[in-house]
Amino acid sequence: MPYDDESTLPTDTAPADALAATAAQARSAVLERLVSEDPGRFRVLTGDRPTGRLHLGHYFGTLHNRVRLQELGVEMFVLVADYQVLTDRDVAEDPAGFVEELVLDQLAAGVDPARAVIFTHSAVPALNQLLLPFLSLVSVAELNRNPTVKEEIAHSRQSSVSGLMFTYPVHQAADILFCKGNLVPVGQDQLPHLEVTRTVARRFNDRYGNGTAVFPEPEALLSKAPLLLGTDGTKMSKSRGNAIALAADADETARLIRGARTDAERHITYDPARRPEVSSLVLLAALCQGRPPQQVAEEIGAAGASGLKKCVTEAVNDHFAPIRARRARYAQDRSYLREILREGNERANAVAETTLDEVRRAMNSRC
Ligand code: TRP
């Protein structure tokens, strides 16, 4: 996901990756059309690592898009990737708490638990069991080449790299294929992972499918995620302390925006290349109000940085008021929250067991 703290865009994007990204963009436009024409053809699998509260970058980058797809009528599985948290830390800080916070953020944004299956890795054993046959289908050299994993290792706070770090893209294949997801909304950094999933699906079908496709080859739906910067002008990220949480209240939002970095030019314009900090604030207001950033900048104009901050604060607090209220309502009823997860896990388990049976049958008939 484009705004995730753990996954950053590879800085040394090779020409081949750039080419793949362009191709994925073109394909995504086609997929968008297919989705609106026939949403029933698609099953979306999407997910996040539970590492704390989501912020506005996550909201505009992924949550918003999830809800949009849901409203178009696409079936959706939403994974809380709790095992994936262990790729770069020995123990999750507050596993249960973080899972609940993440689910709250989804529900607040509008993910509907009656339609979407919300579930966690750790509650779906049959999903995890797919990892074993899937691991046999990829080479160590392939695992070693994954640019997103390389980047994560470079930024890891751990002194040694665990086996899970190398193999989690294959685990991610299990995340997607257990429910035969065929559409995965992602940011560019996730494209190499999706390629692993496609490879696993293809090789499984070739080796064990007996002429039929057990798994679909899922496609990436690249998000047109606008890049929101944090209040210090660098990428918005929990770990940098520059993020505005979805769950923040109006006062905290005002305080954070008041402290946001701007520049010395008084007149407000929208010019992301030359004025990244100011433009990101303008963009944030524009996203909240659903209008073009140029228009927002023009209106503020001579009111300068203080006018800009006032406008952004109001825009954020207005837009998020109902979302935050919904979050607070769900947060008050923890037993209902746990019930949502229990039901999601139950549905995910049923699907995973069916798939695992199918995998066993396909494999046994070949050994
Ligand atoms: N890797 C994703 C992230 O960085 C989370 C994730 C886990 C995921 N499994 C997935 C995303 C499967 C899409 C599909 O947050």
Side-chain angles (χ1 to χ4, degrees):
M1 307 275 147
Y3 295 103
D4 194 78
D5 292 318
E6 278 76 29
S7 48
T8 45
L9 251 177
T11 44
D12 59 343
T13 308
D17 296 339
L19 215 68
T22 314
Q25 242 144 26
R27 180 64 189 152
S28 293
V30 174
L31 286 167
E32 280 291 351
R33 212 190 53 233
L34 294 174
V35 166
S36 51
E37 281 168 11
D38 187 7
R41 261 178 64 177
F42 294 97
R43 175 176 274 184
V44 164
L45 180 291
T46 174
D48 314 90
R49 302 175 189 196
T51 55
R53 293 179 164 186
L54 298 184
H55 53 64
L56 303 192
H58 294 119
Y59 176 83
F60 287 112
T62 60
L63 291 182
H64 191 64
N65 192 37
R66 242 167 240 183
V67 176
R68 184 182 68 87
L69 289 167
Q70 169 186 280
E71 296 312 315
L72 284 170
V74 182
E75 193 183 7
M76 197 156 56
F77 281 65
V78 180
L79 164 67
V80 177
D82 55 350
Y83 279 162
Q84 203 175 97
V85 174
L86 304 174
T87 50
D88 71 347
R89 58 203 85 188
D90 298 323
V91 282
E93 286 135 84
D94 174 15
F98 283 177
V99 168
E100 286 189 9
E101 292 300 319
L102 184 56
V103 175
L104 279 174
D105 284 331
Q106 313 280 342
L107 299 174
V111 172
D112 175 4
R115 283 181 277 173
V117 179
I118 306 174
F119 67 102
T120 57
H121 272 147
S122 58
V124 188
L127 180 163
N128 296 300
Q129 200 173 328
L130 290 175
L131 180 60
L132 294 180
F134 287 1
L135 276 173
S136 75
L137 298 170
V138 291
S139 71
V140 171
E142 283 170 322
L143 293 174
N144 258 320
R145 270 202 295 272
N146 188 305
T148 299
V149 171
K150 278 197 214 163
E151 186 78 4
E152 282 172 333
I153 290 172
H155 287 100
S156 164
R157 2 174 179 176
Q158 288 192 303
S159 52
S160 64
V161 177
S162 73
L164 186 61
M165 178 62 104
F166 276 110
T167 52
Y168 90 80
V170 185
H171 193 210
Q172 207 158 303
D175 297 343
I176 298 167
L177 296 178
F178 95 92
C179 67
K180 305 197 178 176
N182 57 3
L183 191 64
V184 188
V186 288
Q188 274 197 29
D189 63 314
Q190 297 287 306
L191 286 178
H193 296 352
L194 203 72
E195 230 19 79
V196 173
T197 299
R198 292 170 59 84
T199 301
V200 165
R202 199 165 47 242
R203 289 183 187 159
F204 189 94
N205 292 340
D206 286 350
R207 195 170 300 181
Y208 303 110
N210 227 341
T212 61
V214 176
F215 293 113
E217 275 186 56
E219 297 203 77
L221 186 66
L222 265 189
S223 57
K224 300 180 248 23
L227 188 66
L228 272 183
L229 301 177
T231 50
D232 61 355
T234 70
K235 184 182 138 167
M236 194 181 280
S237 153
K238 258 176 315 218
S239 53
R240 296 184 196 200
N242 65 359
I244 303 169
L246 183 84
D249 64 20
D251 289 345
E252 192 186 351
T253 302
R255 185 175 55 73
L256 291 169
I257 294 174
R258 209 177 307 123
R261 216 177 139 131
T262 52
D263 59 31
E265 263 175 72
R266 175 149 182 93
H267 199 89
I268 298 303
T269 52
Y270 183 65
D271 184 354
R274 205 174 56 80
R275 306 182 69 185
E277 298 94 346
V278 161
S279 301
S280 181
L281 285 168
V282 170
L283 177 63
L284 177 53
L287 287 168
C288 290
Q289 295 174 339
R291 44 189 199 132
Q294 292 81 0
Q295 190 188 352
V296 173
E298 240 164 69
E299 261 173 41
I300 301 166
S306 68
L308 171 63
K309 289 181 178 180
K310 187 164 161 288
C311 163
V312 178
T313 303
E314 274 172 23
V316 171
N317 284 340
D318 281 355
H319 180 74
F320 285 96
I323 293 168
R324 288 166 170 171
R326 184 156 50 206
R327 195 183 194 284
R329 270 200 309 279
Y330 278 112
Q332 264 164 15
D333 195 350
R334 295 278 160 172
S335 61
Y336 179 53
L337 196 62
R338 280 191 280 273
E339 179 59 22
I340 288 174
L341 262 173
R342 204 193 51 73
E343 256 175 42
N345 286 333
E346 199 174 286
R347 285 161 75 188
N349 267 300
V351 173
E353 276 156 28
T354 304
T355 303
L356 184 60
D357 269 349
E358 214 179 325
V359 162
R360 280 204 201 101
R361 259 183 281 120
M363 293 180 77
N364 285 341
S365 68
R366 297 312 234 112
C367 340

